[in-house]
């Protein structure tokens, strides 16, 4: 399309013709338009003039209407002398000269053209729609809707009490749509939920946050944790009231078994902490178990007298100055400390007691044993692990017993006959039975007579075969229990005034000796925990060397020696901080949380 | 030397801010409870309250600026304190959050806070740097004086080219008419020149082509000088070239001038709306924390 544009200067009357060639003529306020119309009322690309079937027509772009001869139209076929008005600009259609498809005349107003630059100069960063004020309103409203209203609807949809309100139906309908994988009130979550909680309750905040503007209640915790073991000495802390510093109100449901606690909720002890006092959620790093020492030291900065009379000493840190001496936990036969007990059950019972002075600590297990002798043997060469096998949990060792740990070397035999271990009466009967059978078997008595030694007489039994058998058995029992057998390892006492006749026709020898029952203490720090496996990993040291680092077994000749390390041993490597190349430990690395001190926990029946 | 918002009263508020940061640090480090460092500890609440009070006070600058009768300190003092105390908020708010961030309204409020502060940093830079550059560019003239000069140059150009051929007249007059110093907001910010002109491309056919920085037009006139037909034409062309070059420099200065002015203003399009959004986010943050206590 070849077209002629005639510019007529209204001031000078001068005419200038411009010949252009393009598929169509573009009109607008953009500078690249064929017909540039500098007007704020005209769009950058406002209209087009194009030829179709030899006729020129004008067409507004988008919703733009064009005035043609005073008539507003979207599209119109142009005739000669038609006047197209765009803003203040008038375009008159001329008869196209020879060689042109279209011709028009534009009037140029020099004054108007001059003001264009002046207008540009006055231009500021001032958007037509998104002014700062509107942006502020928009962002504020958007934020309110997304970050407050939607989460609030999610809360309402999760709150059973609110669901009863009929007016809330619409809101809950919106809230329910958020129930699946994501809920809007998760935007209010201040931090990640513990994985265990997230898996259990998903995104339902109202599981724990049952009441708005109220801290998470213990009841909410107990709803799921009703079967949790109690891990808090209710009586002890109720009496000491020391945990008032941890919380202001509410009864911790876990102070007692949860179901009981729920019933007692009305009788809340104001000084008790809440679950949330110690178990913090939405925190980073994620941990529902508080391990920081402050939880312990804020109470243990003073000595504490518990309801059971045990005084807990001051402990504010794990170092020589701020941590009290360890205290062994002993198993002691109840009759040794309470001679007045008469009940057979209590006479046989052992009690765990605390030894505060470690320098005089001796173990009274009723066993005779020398670590020194055993560790000096060449054949068989024994090591610590020959007898001490780490049990599940890596803290304690499998209990020592005769069959598994001693019998291989210390077989209980006489005349190639094994004596049963563990039941003195049975052992005595076994010996007695042997001799009775021997003596009452015809033709075999002489075989059993000892060979006469030169110059000595063979003493013969003058009584009946049975009496001789019993007499012989008594000699052997005396030998086994009183001289070289059981008494080697056990505390054995002869029973005076034992019955002359035993049960079912037995001789009564079975009641003539008493072997003190053996209880080897396996838990010296019963309120502490220790990982042997973690301490047996030092490179370049044999296992015996590693064990010897803490346990002085090689120089221990008595079973009363206590080989359990004291504070100093631990302080050699550990401290409450990692300074001076020490390995830092928290209180809970070694200490169990306060466990209930019930009678069953304190008495350990045989 | 005149005082700017940073050097006001020998940077008095800088030291206030540094003290505030130091105090916040010790408060943050004092968190040793069972929760460790967290926005929910007593220290965390204190830092949060401090940050909230600061945010609200910083937002009040918008009101103070418009309160000409106010006796609550000079606007200069307010602006200086606004800059320094606002900067300290990065640290105070970080300590309050204990650097625990996630996809939630709390972290979003923190993000908005950072956006406001860093857009403010740009504002401070612009207000300190650009006025001097604008003065240097305008060569002692006001904007109106520059426009008047531009107009007189145009008249001189028109008077010069009227004796030249019509094709050149059409090109020069269209270039003058289609000179652009400020197109869209983005054009202003980038000092992008959308100037165009009508130029004969083939034979007598004319097209609309770019005249960026007025250089194509100057090139056309310069190329015409060796091909001048008449004796007076070279002189006219040289004179026209001289005028167009002066105009080119003036237009460029105006464009850069507008760019700097736009840059001094555009940061407020982020700073102000996001400040309002921040106030809303902060309110939701506080309410939601206690809603789901």
């Amino acid at each position: 399309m070849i077209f002629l544009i005639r510019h007529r200067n209204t001031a000078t009357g001068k005419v200038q013709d411009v010949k252009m060639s393009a598929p169509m003529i573009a009109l607008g306020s953009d500078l690249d338009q064929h017909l540039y119309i500098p007007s704020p009322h005209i769009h950058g690309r406002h209209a087009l003039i194009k030829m179709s079937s030899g006729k020129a027509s004008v067409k507004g772009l988008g919703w733009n209407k064009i005035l043609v001869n005073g008539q507003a139209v979207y599209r119109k076929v142009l005739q000669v002398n038609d006047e197209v008005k765009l803003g203040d600009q008038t375009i008159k259609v001329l008869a196209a000269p020879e060689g042109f498809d279209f011709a028009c005349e534009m009037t140029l107003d020099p004054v108007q053209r001059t003001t264009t630059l002046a207008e540009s100069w006055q231009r500021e960063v001032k958007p037509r729609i998104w002014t700062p004020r509107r942006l502020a309103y928009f962002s504020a409203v958007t934020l309110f809707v997304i970050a407050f209203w939607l989460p609030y609807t999610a809360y309402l949809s999760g709150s059973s009490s609110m669901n009863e309100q009929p007016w809330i139906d619409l809101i809950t309908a919106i809230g329910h749509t958020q129930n699946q994988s994501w809920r809007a009130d998760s935007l209010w979550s201040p931090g990640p939920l513990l994985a265990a909680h997230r898996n259990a309750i998903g995104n339902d905040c109202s599981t724990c946050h049952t009441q708005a503007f109220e801290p998470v209640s213990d009841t909410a915790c107990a709803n799921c944790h009703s079967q949790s073991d109690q891990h808090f000495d209710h009586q002890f802390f109720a009496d000491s009231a020391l945990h008032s510093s941890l919380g202001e109100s509410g009864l911790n449901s876990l102070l007692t078994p949860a179901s009981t606690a729920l019933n007692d909720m009305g009788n809340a002890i104001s000084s008790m902490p809440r679950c949330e006092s110690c178990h913090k959620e939405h925190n980073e790093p994620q941990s529902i178990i508080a391990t920081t020492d402050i939880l312990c030291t804020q109470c243990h900065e003073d000595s504490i007298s518990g309801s059971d009379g045990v005084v807990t000493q001051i402990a504010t840190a794990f170092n020589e100055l701020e941590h009290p001496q360890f205290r062994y936990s002993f198993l002691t036969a109840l009759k040794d400390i309470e001679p007045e007990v008469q009940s057979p059950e209590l006479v046989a019972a052992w009690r765990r007691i605390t030894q505060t002075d470690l320098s005089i600590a001796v173990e009274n297990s009723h066993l005779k044993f020398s670590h020194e002798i055993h560790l000096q043997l060449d054949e068989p060469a024994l090591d610590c692990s020959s007898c001490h096998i780490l049990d599940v949990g890596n803290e304690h060792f499998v209990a020592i017993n005769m069959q598994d740990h001693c019998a291989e070397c210390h077989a209980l035999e006489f005349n190639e006959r094994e004596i049963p271990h563990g039941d003195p009466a049975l052992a005595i009967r076994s010996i007695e039975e042997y001799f009775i059978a021997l003596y009452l078997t015809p033709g075999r008595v002489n075989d059993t007579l000892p060979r006469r030694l030169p110059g000595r007489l063979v003493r013969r039994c003058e009584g009946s075969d049975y009496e001789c058998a019993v007499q012989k058995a008594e000699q052997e029992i005396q030998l086994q229990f009183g001289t070289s057998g059981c008494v080697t390892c056990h505390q054995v006492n002869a029973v005076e005034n034992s019955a002359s006749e035993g049960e079912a026709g037995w001789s009564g020898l079975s009641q003539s000796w008493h072997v003190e029952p053996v209880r080897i203490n396996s838990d010296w720090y019963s309120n502490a925990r220790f990982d042997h496996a973690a301490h047996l990993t030092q490179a370049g040291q044999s296992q015996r060397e590693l064990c010897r680092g803490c346990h002085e077994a090689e120089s221990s000749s008595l079973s009363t020696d206590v080989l359990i390390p004291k504070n100093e041993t631990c302080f050699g490597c550990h401290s409450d901080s990692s300074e001076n190349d020490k390995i830092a430990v928290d209180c809970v690395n070694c200490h169990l949380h306060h466990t209930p001190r019930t009678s069953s926990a304190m008495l350990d029946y045989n | 030397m005149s005082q700017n918002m940073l050097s006001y009263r020998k940077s008095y508020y800088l030291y206030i801010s540094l003290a505030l940061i130091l105090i916040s640090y010790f408060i943050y480090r004092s968190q040793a409870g069972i929760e460790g460092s967290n926005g929910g500890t007593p220290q965390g609440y204190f830092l949060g309250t401090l940050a909230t009070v600061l945010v609200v006070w910083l937002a009040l600058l918008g009101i103070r600026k418009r309160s000409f009768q106010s006796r609550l300190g000079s606007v200069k003092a307010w602006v200086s304190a606004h800059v320094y105390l606002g900067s300290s908020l990065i640290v105070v708010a970080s300590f309050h959050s204990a650097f625990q961030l996630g996809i939630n309204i709390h972290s979003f409020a923190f993000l908005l806070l950072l956006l406001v502060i860093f857009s403010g940093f740009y504002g401070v830079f612009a207000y300190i740097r650009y006025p001097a550059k604008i003065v240097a560019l305008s060569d002692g003239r006001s904007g109106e004086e520059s426009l008047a000069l531009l107009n007189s140059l145009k008249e001189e150009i028109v008077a010069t080219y009227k004796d030249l051929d019509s094709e050149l007249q059409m090109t020069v007059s269209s270039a003058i008419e289609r000179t652009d110093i400020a197109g869209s907001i983005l054009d202003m910010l980038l000092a992008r020149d959308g100037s165009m002109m009508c130029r004969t491309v083939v034979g007598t056919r004319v097209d609309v082509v770019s005249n960026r920085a007025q250089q194509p037009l100057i090139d056309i006139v310069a190329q015409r000088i060796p091909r001048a037909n008449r004796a007076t034409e070279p002189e006219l062309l040289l004179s026209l070239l001289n005028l167009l070059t002066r105009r080119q420099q003036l237009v460029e200065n105006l464009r850069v001038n507008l760019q700097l002015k736009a840059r001094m203003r555009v940061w407020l399009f982020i700073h102000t709306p996001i400040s309002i959004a921040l106030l809303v986010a902060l309110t939701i943050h506080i309410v939601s924390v206690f809603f789901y206590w």
Side-chain angles (χ1 to χ4, degrees), chain A residues 370-605:
Chain A
S370 170
H371 278 95
E372 184 180 21
I373 291 171
H374 283 79
L375 289 172
Q376 286 175 348
L377 291 174
D378 292 326
E379 186 61 39
L382 295 176
D383 211 338
C384 303
S385 59
S386 302
C387 301
H388 299 289
I389 310 298
L390 202 54
D391 206 349
V392 176
N394 293 334
E395 180 175 358
H396 301 297
F397 291 83
V398 175
I400 300 292
N401 64 73
M402 174 69 183
Q403 187 64 36
D404 296 335
H405 300 96
C406 309
E408 188 177 342
C409 300
H410 301 285
L412 290 179
E413 290 178 340
F414 79 99
N415 289 357
E416 299 178 352
R417 184 184 175 90
E418 187 178 352
I419 304 171
H421 180 265
D423 187 343
L426 186 62
I428 290 170
R429 283 181 186 173
S430 171
I431 296 170
E432 193 177 5
E433 180 188 57
Y434 170 77
F435 283 105
I436 290 171
L438 186 68
Y439 274 79
L440 295 184
T441 302
R444 296 197 60 185
V445 173
N446 289 337
D447 295 343
T448 63
L449 286 176
R451 187 160 53 87
R452 190 178 74 82
L453 296 174
R456 295 185 65 177
L457 293 173
V458 175
R459 195 175 54 175
R460 288 179 179 276
C461 176
E462 301 296 334
S464 65
D465 288 346
Y466 174 76
E467 288 170 343
C468 288
V470 171
Q471 188 180 352
K472 186 64 182 172
E474 192 173 4
Q475 289 171 4
E476 186 62 34
I477 290 165
Q478 169 66 38
L479 182 70
Q480 291 292 343
F481 280 80
T483 307
S484 62
C486 308
V487 74
T488 309
C489 300
H490 291 279
Q491 291 180 9
V492 184
N493 303 312
V495 179
E496 295 178 3
N497 304 320
S498 58
S500 58
E501 279 196 19
E503 299 170 4
W506 289 90
S507 66
L509 285 174
S510 63
Q511 298 172 26
S512 59
W513 293 91
H514 173 72
V515 178
E516 292 290 349
V518 172
R519 286 296 299 271
I520 301 171
N521 195 8
S522 61
D523 192 2
W524 290 91
Y525 296 122
S526 58
N527 286 325
R529 50 183 152 204
F530 181 82
D531 188 344
H532 272 98
H535 288 76
L536 291 171
T537 55
Q538 297 176 45
Q541 292 192 47
S542 67
Q543 192 184 53
R544 183 186 284 203
E545 287 172 329
L546 286 171
C547 298
R548 194 170 55 192
C550 298
H551 305 282
E552 297 175 352
E554 289 178 320
S555 60
S556 168
S557 59
L558 299 173
S559 61
T560 54
D561 294 342
V562 177
L563 306 182
I564 304 302
K566 307 180 181 64
N567 289 30
E568 296 76 24
T569 308
C570 299
F571 290 147
C573 297
H574 293 287
S575 177
D576 52 301
S577 70
S578 54
E579 294 172 359
N580 302 322
D581 295 330
K582 296 287 180 69
I583 302 162
V585 289
D586 295 325
C587 299
V588 292
N589 284 127
C590 304
H591 291 279
L592 296 172
H593 195 265
H594 304 284
T595 50
R597 301 170 189 201
T598 62
S599 57
S600 60
M602 295 176 69
L603 281 176
D604 191 355
Y605 290 99

Side-chain angles (χ1 to χ4, degrees), chain A residues 8 74 107 131 138 196 199 212 237 260 265 276 559:
Chain A
R8 182 181 296 278
Y74 285 114
T107 51
T131 62
F138 175 77
N199 290 336
F237 282 93
T260 312
M265 200 63 75
E276 203 191 25
S559 61

Side-chain angles (χ1 to χ4, degrees), chain A residues 139 142-143 146-147 187, chain B residues 101-115 274 277-278 280-282 284-285:
Chain A
S139 56
T142 306
L143 203 56
I146 294 174
L187 287 175
Chain B
L101 300 175
I103 302 173
N104 51 47
I105 182 61
H106 319 289
S107 296
F108 188 69
F110 183 68
L111 177 69
L112 291 178
L113 181 78
L114 293 182
L115 280 174
I274 295 183
L278 171 63
V280 175
L282 199 59
I284 297 172
H285 160 64

Side-chain angles (χ1 to χ4, degrees), chain A residues 146-350:
Chain A
I146 294 174
F148 184 80
W149 192 75
L150 283 179
Y152 184 63
T153 59
Y155 161 76
L156 292 179
S157 70
S159 172
S160 56
S161 60
M162 295 304 292
N163 279 340
E164 294 167 8
Q165 303 291 332
W167 59 269
I168 216 76
D169 283 351
L170 176 63
I171 294 177
T172 53
I174 297 168
H176 278 304
T177 62
Q178 306 168 4
N179 262 346
Q180 300 305 315
S181 58
W182 184 80
R183 280 171 54 117
D185 52 354
S186 64
L187 287 175
W188 288 355
S189 172
L193 203 62
L194 197 74
H197 281 160
R198 193 171 58 246
N199 290 336
I201 65 174
N203 291 315
D204 189 0
C205 305
S206 61
T207 305
C208 302
H209 300 279
T210 51
Q211 292 293 326
F213 297 108
E214 285 185 16
V216 173
S217 69
D218 292 349
T219 315
C221 300
N223 281 341
C224 295
H225 296 278
S226 59
Q227 300 303 317
S228 297
D229 291 335
Q230 48 183 323
H231 63 293
F232 208 73
D233 191 336
H234 178 203
Q235 189 60 43
F236 174 74
F237 282 93
D239 290 350
S240 66
L242 280 169
H243 271 55
S244 59
S245 61
L246 283 174
E248 291 300 324
S249 63
L251 175 67
N252 188 327
S253 58
L254 300 179
L255 298 181
T256 60
S259 54
T260 312
L262 286 172
N263 294 332
D264 293 345
M265 200 63 75
N267 304 318
I269 300 170
S270 62
S271 61
M272 285 294 108
R274 294 179 295 107
C275 303
E276 203 191 25
S277 302
C278 298
H279 300 292
K280 300 291 183 183
E281 252 297 3
H282 298 291
N283 214 343
E284 292 180 275
Q286 289 183 32
S287 174
I288 199 72
I289 310 295
T291 59
T292 179
D293 290 354
I294 191 73
L295 184 63
C296 309
T297 56
Q298 65 181 341
C299 286
H300 289 281
E301 61 186 6
D302 296 314
S303 62
I304 301 167
S305 298
S307 57
D308 55 1
V310 175
V311 177
T312 306
Q313 298 175 67
I314 296 171
T316 52
F318 190 65
N319 56 54
E320 292 86 343
L321 299 176
E322 297 174 273
H323 194 281
Q325 274 291 330
F326 295 170
R327 293 187 295 189
Y328 293 143
S329 172
F330 276 91
L331 272 179
T332 303
L334 191 59
K335 66 185 178 63
D336 290 347
I337 54 175
E338 295 182 19
E340 67 277 10
V341 296
Q342 298 295 325
S343 153
E345 190 181 51
L346 291 178
V347 166
W350 293 69

Side-chain angles (χ1 to χ4, degrees), chain A residues 21 31 33 113 123 277 283, chain B residues 34 38 177-178 182-183 205:
Chain A
S21 173
L31 296 170
Q33 301 292 291
R113 300 280 160 156
R123 198 172 295 169
S277 302
N283 214 343
Chain B
I34 59 174
N38 188 272
E177 185 183 57
R178 298 182 188 227
R205 193 162 67 81

